[in-house]
Amino acid sequence: MNEALIISNVVQWVVLLALVLGLLALARQIGILFERIAPMGALMLDTGPKPGEHAPRFNLPTLTGPEVQLGGAQARSTLLFFVSPTCPVCKKLLPIIKSASQTEAAWMRVVLASDGEEPEHRAFIQKAGLGAFPYVISQELGMSYRIAKLPYAVLIDEHGVVRSKGLVNSREQLESLFTAKELSAPSVQDYIEQKA
């Protein structure tokens, strides 16, 4: 009887040790996987003003209020968000932009930008409830930033310097622009590569 008790205890300890080793191996694999799938930030295209460069200066009329100044020194940073009334991803992101404009209002303002026909944009502003945002129509603005795909966002700091930019298809990619500014890096990917 004593031998059976000793054998069962040994078997229990062997099983427990195997489970602990398996758990450690699994934790290691999760760590490796996490490194491989690092946070995906906004996809930065290599055109237009680069992060660290001064943003082009514009004084533009808006469809929703007074003229807006872009570039140069400002009281707060500016999120310049390029949209289109026909872009389904842009429409999906508008509630996220509205939310970000409220939660980040202490340090950032949002300016919406597009090009095209004014009546179409006025209908879009009304339907999407965008009257609270400066909304500019300027082909020259889009060309100066070399906007080829939408939705695209540029974060300009209060000194008029482009801090981060890129294609934005999700909340995470939008927030990666804010994180890049906080980290003083052109993008989250650049920051991760520098630390590696």
Side-chain angles (χ1 to χ4, degrees), residues 4 9 50-51 54 72-73 81 86-87 110 131 135 137 141 162 178 196:
N9 277 338
K50 296 182 181 357
H54 283 277
F81 191 68
T86 59
C87 168
V110 174
Y135 192 110
I137 298 177
L141 179 64
V162 174
F178 306 155

Side-chain angles (χ1 to χ4, degrees), residues 91-153:
K91 292 175 185 174
K92 178 189 90 171
L93 287 175
L94 286 175
I96 296 166
I97 294 295
K98 290 177 183 178
S99 173
S101 74
Q102 292 174 350
T103 59
E104 310 297 337
W107 67 274
M108 180 190 77
R109 68 177 178 157
V110 174
V111 175
L112 303 176
S114 194
D115 63 2
E117 299 300 319
E118 185 176 324
E120 181 183 20
H121 289 283
R122 287 201 180 276
F124 178 56
I125 291 167
Q126 186 173 9
K127 184 176 181 184
L130 303 175
F133 300 101
Y135 192 110
V136 299
I137 298 177
S138 172
Q139 188 172 14
E140 185 182 355
L141 179 64
M143 288 174 56
S144 71
Y145 283 97
R146 309 275 197 283
I147 305 302
K149 296 182 180 188
L150 296 176
Y152 200 86

Side-chain angles (χ1 to χ4, degrees), residues 23-181:
L23 184 62
L24 290 174
L26 183 61
R28 182 176 180 274
Q29 289 301 318
I30 289 172
I32 291 170
L33 182 62
F34 181 75
E35 285 179 10
R36 287 184 186 163
I37 58 168
M40 180 64 171
L43 177 63
M44 187 172 26
L45 304 175
D46 292 328
T47 59
K50 296 182 181 357
E53 296 180 355
H54 283 277
R57 295 183 114 184
F58 286 93
N59 287 322
L60 298 168
T62 70
L63 299 179
T64 54
E67 188 175 82
V68 68
Q69 180 185 353
L70 298 169
Q74 303 285 325
R76 298 179 290 167
S77 294
T78 301
L79 178 67
L80 182 57
F81 191 68
F82 290 90
V83 298
S84 169
T86 59
C87 168
V89 179
C90 298
K91 292 175 185 174
K92 178 189 90 171
L93 287 175
L94 286 175
I96 296 166
I97 294 295
K98 290 177 183 178
S99 173
S101 74
Q102 292 174 350
T103 59
E104 310 297 337
W107 67 274
M108 180 190 77
R109 68 177 178 157
V110 174
V111 175
L112 303 176
S114 194
D115 63 2
E117 299 300 319
E118 185 176 324
E120 181 183 20
H121 289 283
R122 287 201 180 276
F124 178 56
I125 291 167
Q126 186 173 9
K127 184 176 181 184
L130 303 175
F133 300 101
Y135 192 110
V136 299
I137 298 177
S138 172
Q139 188 172 14
E140 185 182 355
L141 179 64
M143 288 174 56
S144 71
Y145 283 97
R146 309 275 197 283
I147 305 302
K149 296 182 180 188
L150 296 176
Y152 200 86
V154 179
L155 185 61
I156 305 166
D157 73 10
E158 60 277 4
H159 305 292
V161 175
V162 174
R163 283 293 152 214
S164 55
K165 65 180 189 170
L167 284 171
V168 177
N169 292 317
S170 67
R171 175 184 295 275
E172 291 77 17
Q173 289 177 334
L174 178 66
E175 289 174 352
S176 76
L177 299 178
F178 306 155
T179 303
K181 180 183 184 293

